[in-house]
Each structure stands twice: as structure tokens, then as C-alpha cells.
Amino acid sequence: VLYKESVGMGTPTPVTPEMERVKRNQEICSSVLYKENIGKATPTPVTPEMERVKRNQEIISSVLYKENVGKVTPTPVTPEMERVKRNQEIISSVLYKENLGRATPTPITPEMERVKRNQEQISSVGYKEGLGKATPTPVTPEMERVKRNQEHISSVLYKEHLAKGTPTPMTPEMERAKRNQENISSVLYSDSFRKQVQGKAAYVLDTPEMRRVRETQKHISTVKYHEDFEKSKGSFTPVVTDPITERVKKNMQDFSDISYRGIQRRVVEMERKRVDQDQENLTG
């Protein structure tokens, strides 16, 4: 009290940023000096009792904080509030666009299209180069099932968002255009098939498993062939004998006899002798 009585009246000064900086520096220095004066301490383990006390303190602090908060009245989101919110968003969008300068539209030339495609291809190549090596995982039946379920769910959600459409009749012109499109697609597919696939062989790795399957198939084919041969051995197929068959059989037998016995050679010799004899008779 006596100290305050001796203090005269002062002039209040505003708290400047420089004063705030000095004050923070003083607090940091005080904290450093305080820690220097503290001696070495013995660490104590955190026991369940200490955990319980800490949780209770946090709960008490939360309860006291909520008690100091006054009661509030919740207000529903009315259409007017929705309208004001949308207007604010539109105004923000308009102000943003006002800050942009005027631009001159330029037509999209074939050169620009070519550059755009090149950029997309370069981006795709650059993206693939940045990817690291991955470990391929086999597609299990469970993964296939999940994939099909996801496709069904996506299809259902997509159809739910579709609005009602107006059916249009299928006119002859539409049918003709549809057939033309199918023909064009077929021609393009055939051209790409001939260029990419036709005439090229599909390379398959010759793994031990494939060699084992191939050997097994050969054994099975050999066993089946011998089984069929054993069943058909000793049996014959009856054939109906008609005059034409008899004539063909007799001609074949005659040809076989001529070839085997040399009758054709003797006929030729006899014919040559007959010609020679006829010539001698004419000259004699």
C-alpha cells in the first residue's frame, strides 16, 4: 500500500507489436532461467492411478467449460437462408470473374489438336515412367466376385440418377444408319485384325507343367488308339455284291494277273513278231 501511494499517476501507453515481441522474449528467457535452476529429478512411471486421475481432471475441466457456456437456441435452415447462401456463392464467383481480364477466343486448329494429342501422349509416357515396379497379384474368384458386385452397384446407382426419357420409334432411316455403323465397325475390326494378329503366331511358354500335360495327352491318345485297334481286330464290314462291283473286281484281278505273270510283255513281243512277219511277206 505504501509503495503504491508513493507511485505517481502515469500515462497509459498502447501495446505495440514491438512491446509484444519484447514480452514474448522475456517469457522465453524466464522459462529458460527457471529450467536452469531446477535440479535433476527422478522420473516416475505412469501408474493406472495416475491415468485415472488425469482422465478425471480432463472430464472435470470439460464439465466446467461447458457450464460457462450459455444456452443457445438452434435455428433451422430455412429456404431464405439457403437462398442467401446461394447468392453469396454466386457473388463470390462473379467477383472472382470480374478480376479476370478480357480474353480473345482463338479457334482450335488442326495444329493445336496435334499438339494436344502429343501432350497427352507425353503425359501418359511420363506418368508410366514415374511408376515403380509392381508385384502382379493373381485374380482370385473372390476378387472376381467383388468386381462383379461393384459393377452391379455402379449400374444400379447410375440408373437411379437417370431421369425419365422419351421413347422414339425406330424408323427405316435409323435402321439403315445402324446397319451402316455395324458394317463400318466390322471393316475396321477386320483391318486391325489383319494388321495386328493375322499371320502372327501366339508364343506360349513351354513350362514343365505344359510338357507334362502334353506327354499325358500323348499317352492317353496312344492307349485309346490301341484299345480301338484291339476291338476292331478280327472283325470285318460286310459289303453288298452287285454286278458293277463284280465287274470292277474282275477287271482289277485281270490287271493284277497281267502285271504279275508278264502277259503284257508277251503280247507286245507277239505283236512285234506279227508286224515283222507281215513285212517279210510283203517284201518276199
Side-chain angles (χ1 to χ4, degrees):
V1 175
L2 295 174
Y3 170 75
K4 292 182 180 179
E5 288 179 355
S6 61
V7 176
M9 297 176 66
T11 303
T13 56
V15 180
T16 61
E18 182 65 20
M19 295 175 66
E20 289 286 341
R21 185 181 65 79
V22 172
K23 184 177 179 181
R24 284 197 301 273
N25 290 339
Q26 287 295 330
E27 291 175 354
I28 294 170
C29 293
S30 299
S31 176
V32 172
L33 294 175
Y34 172 74
K35 292 181 180 179
E36 287 180 354
N37 295 327
I38 295 176
K40 294 182 179 181
T42 304
T44 57
V46 179
T47 60
E49 182 65 20
M50 295 174 67
E51 290 285 343
R52 185 183 63 81
V53 172
K54 184 177 179 181
R55 284 196 301 272
N56 291 339
Q57 288 293 332
E58 292 175 353
I59 294 170
I60 292 170
S61 300
S62 176
V63 172
L64 293 176
Y65 172 76
K66 291 180 180 179
E67 287 180 353
N68 295 327
V69 177
K71 294 183 178 180
V72 296
T73 304
T75 57
V77 180
T78 60
E80 182 65 18
M81 294 175 68
E82 289 286 341
R83 186 183 64 80
V84 172
K85 185 177 178 181
R86 284 196 300 273
N87 290 340
Q88 287 294 329
E89 293 175 353
I90 295 170
I91 292 169
S92 299
S93 176
V94 171
L95 293 176
Y96 172 74
K97 292 181 180 179
E98 286 181 353
N99 294 328
L100 297 176
R102 294 184 178 180
T104 304
T106 57
I108 298 176
T109 61
E111 181 66 17
M112 294 174 67
E113 289 286 342
R114 185 183 64 80
V115 173
K116 184 177 178 181
R117 285 196 299 271
N118 291 340
Q119 287 294 330
E120 291 175 354
Q121 293 172 0
I122 293 170
S123 299
S124 176
V125 172
Y127 171 74
K128 292 180 179 179
E129 288 179 353
L131 294 177
K133 294 182 178 179
T135 304
T137 56
V139 180
T140 60
E142 180 66 18
M143 294 173 68
E144 289 287 342
R145 185 183 64 81
V146 173
K147 184 178 179 181
R148 284 196 300 272
N149 291 341
Q150 289 293 330
E151 291 175 355
H152 294 331
I153 293 170
S154 300
S155 176
V156 171
L157 294 176
Y158 173 74
K159 292 179 180 178
E160 287 179 355
H161 295 308
L162 291 178
K164 292 183 178 180
T166 304
T168 57
M170 186 67 70
T171 61
E173 181 65 19
M174 295 174 67
E175 289 286 344
R176 185 183 64 80
K178 184 177 178 181
R179 284 196 301 273
N180 290 340
Q181 287 295 328
E182 291 176 354
N183 294 334
I184 293 170
S185 300
S186 177
V187 170
L188 295 176
Y189 173 76
S190 299
D191 289 342
S192 62
F193 174 78
R194 282 194 295 269
K195 292 179 181 178
Q196 298 178 6
V197 180
Q198 191 174 10
K200 296 181 180 179
Y203 297 97
V204 181
L205 295 177
D206 191 9
T207 59
E209 181 65 19
M210 293 183 69
R211 286 196 294 270
R212 185 184 64 79
V213 172
R214 189 164 58 245
E215 291 294 331
T216 304
Q217 288 294 331
K218 288 181 181 179
H219 295 326
I220 293 172
S221 299
T222 304
V223 172
K224 183 67 176 174
Y225 172 75
H226 284 290
E227 183 179 354
D228 295 340
F229 176 74
E230 292 294 334
K231 288 182 179 179
S232 62
K233 186 170 64 174
S235 61
F236 62 93
T237 303
V239 180
V240 179
T241 304
D242 54 353
I244 297 176
T245 305
E246 287 290 338
R247 183 176 61 80
V248 172
K249 184 177 179 182
K250 184 177 180 181
N251 291 337
M252 292 301 294
Q253 187 67 34
D254 294 339
F255 287 136
S256 298
D257 291 341
I258 291 171
S259 299
Y260 177 73
R261 298 176 183 176
I263 297 174
Q264 182 70 24
R265 187 169 56 255
R266 284 187 289 174
V267 169
V268 173
E269 291 177 357
M270 291 174 65
E271 183 68 22
R272 188 170 58 253
K273 290 179 180 179
R274 187 181 62 79
V275 172
D276 294 339
Q277 188 177 2
D278 291 341
Q279 290 180 355
E280 290 177 357
N281 292 332
L282 290 174
T283 56

